[in-house]
Amino acid sequence: MDQLNEKELEQISGGNDTVSTFTYEVVPGDSLSAIAMRFGTTVATLMALNKDRITNPDVIKVGWKLRVPVNTKKSGWM
């Protein structure tokens, strides 16, 4: 995972030192909000974790590999 600044890490991790992520490949019909809802996270978190790729939350491309935080509170995410 790329390094996040302290403010981004605090927002994503809730104060934990690390954020566990997995890679998700964008498929036809995906939107950032649908991906966030599917994996129990937020669009803002996805944007922060993928700031090297996503500059507009309305524009993602099929085949992009996005970092998604592991949501330990939601089971059966894969």
Side-chain angles (χ1 to χ4, degrees), residues 15-74:
N16 294 331
D17 290 339
T18 61
V19 177
S20 296
T21 64
F22 66 95
T23 301
Y24 174 79
E25 186 171 338
V26 177
V27 297
D30 271 345
S31 67
L32 209 54
S33 60
I35 295 168
M37 185 179 301
R38 178 177 177 190
F39 295 111
T41 189
T42 65
V43 169
T45 296
L46 292 176
M47 289 190 68
L49 286 171
N50 297 281
K51 64 184 176 184
D52 57 322
R53 183 171 300 262
I54 302 172
T55 57
N56 180 339
D58 297 322
V59 179
I60 59 173
K61 298 192 179 193
V62 171
W64 276 4
K65 291 181 176 25
L66 304 179
R67 288 179 300 277
V68 177
V70 173
N71 184 347
T72 57
K73 294 178 184 174
K74 184 177 183 178

Side-chain angles (χ1 to χ4, degrees), residues 3-20:
Q3 293 294 327
L4 302 173
N5 71 39
E6 288 181 26
K7 184 177 180 184
E8 290 169 329
L9 183 59
E10 174 70 25
Q11 290 172 337
I12 295 167
S13 68
N16 294 331
D17 290 339
T18 61
V19 177
S20 296

